[in-house]
Amino acid sequence: MKFSHSNTAERTSEATFIDVHCHCLPGLDDGPPDVPAALTLCRALAADRIATVVATPHQLGRYDGRYDAKAIRQAVAQLNELLAGARIPLKVLPGADIRIDERIEELVRSDEIVTVADGGRYLLLELPHEVFIDPEMLLARLAEGGLCGVITHPERHTFLAERPQYVRRWVSYRPCLQITAGSFLGGFGRRSQEAAWAFLKEPLPLAIATDAHDTAGRAPCMSQAYQLISRHVGRDEADILCVENPRRLVTGESLVMLNLEADRWTGR
Ligand SMILES: [Fe+2]
């Protein structure tokens, strides 16, 4: 690879991350079933150098009506207390992984579903896995109301993974593409791995998150993804993807574009 930083290793050791997509609340969705499993996952997140995690249990879709925003906030407060008691250095913020649905704007207004870190600006949007439903109209309506969609793991969606350039249709609404850390490492198969790298060239803001559910098949691997991206694309770019844009999603600030120059990009 021709583009690399000589001091990547020493600078990498300084990086700490914010994870904006993680199923770490006990007993709510398909994340940890109980408190011990949640604490095990949180220890793994801290060991992965994640200092802050946005707890994003599924809302709508097959979890429709199971728990509301208030229940998510309560579960987050309880988990933070447990973490302090167990001396696990991790801060948890509320959020949700929201299956796209025509009621979303109304449900944000009525405080049924949770924006990223309760910041009122960014909303994780999960497309159905089986079929492709273009979220363009939803993104447009959200943008009119001052909300910005974060499309979760497009690289794991069959339709988008095969057509990464499709996302250019959404450029005027500036949605964020959230790519899964494990996809860069091949954890979701070759097609998702190739698509993860391909999305880095698309003209939309990007962020990387773990979407961790456990410490087995869906374990956090942010540090490894960060190192790999630093090596292949550049340390500054890895910082935007794994540190700066996740931070901005939490604070509600506008996101930074990668803006990769073709001649610097060694690609995959
Ligand atoms: Fe998720």
Side-chain angles (χ1 to χ4, degrees), residues 212-227:
H213 285 62
D214 53 42
T215 55
R218 300 291 297 274
C221 55
M222 192 72 124
S223 302
Q224 256 184 292
Y226 177 86
Q227 281 175 18

Side-chain angles (χ1 to χ4, degrees), residues 22-24 30-33 37 40-41 44-45 211-220:
C22 183
H23 299 259
C24 58
D30 55 349
T40 299
L41 172 54
L45 290 164
D211 194 8
H213 285 62
D214 53 42
T215 55
R218 300 291 297 274

Side-chain angles (χ1 to χ4, degrees), residues 21 23 56 58 97 126 153 211 213 218:
H21 184 172
H23 299 259
T56 55
H58 294 287
D97 186 8
E126 184 191 43
H153 43 71
D211 194 8
H213 285 62
R218 300 291 297 274

Side-chain angles (χ1 to χ4, degrees), residues 85-198:
R87 297 183 185 279
I88 298 170
L90 182 72
K91 180 180 168 190
V92 188
L93 300 171
D97 186 8
I98 303 159
R99 179 59 65 98
I100 58 164
D101 187 302
E102 59 190 12
R103 299 167 295 167
I104 283 180
E105 299 158 88
E106 178 193 322
L107 294 172
V108 172
R109 276 199 298 275
S110 61
D111 198 30
E112 294 291 313
I113 56 177
V114 189
T115 57
V116 174
D118 255 344
R121 179 165 184 188
Y122 293 106
L123 211 54
L124 294 195
L125 299 176
E126 184 191 43
L127 301 175
H129 302 294
E130 321 74 38
V131 290
F132 177 65
I133 298 174
D134 193 325
E136 182 173 358
M137 295 314 294
L138 175 62
L139 292 171
R141 290 202 309 271
L142 291 174
E144 274 174 34
L147 288 161
C148 185
V150 179
I151 305 290
T152 58
H153 43 71
E155 83 286 359
R156 286 159 43 202
H157 192 283
T158 311
F159 181 90
L160 291 173
E162 287 169 359
R163 303 165 185 80
Q165 68 285 355
Y166 190 93
V167 301
R168 293 174 198 172
R169 295 171 191 228
W170 310 332
V171 158
S172 51
Y173 313 112
R174 299 264 303 169
C176 177
L177 302 179
Q178 178 263 297
I179 314 292
T180 316
S183 293
F184 291 96
L185 308 167
F188 295 92
R190 192 176 178 85
R191 187 185 59 200
S192 294
Q193 186 178 27
E194 286 174 358
W197 293 99

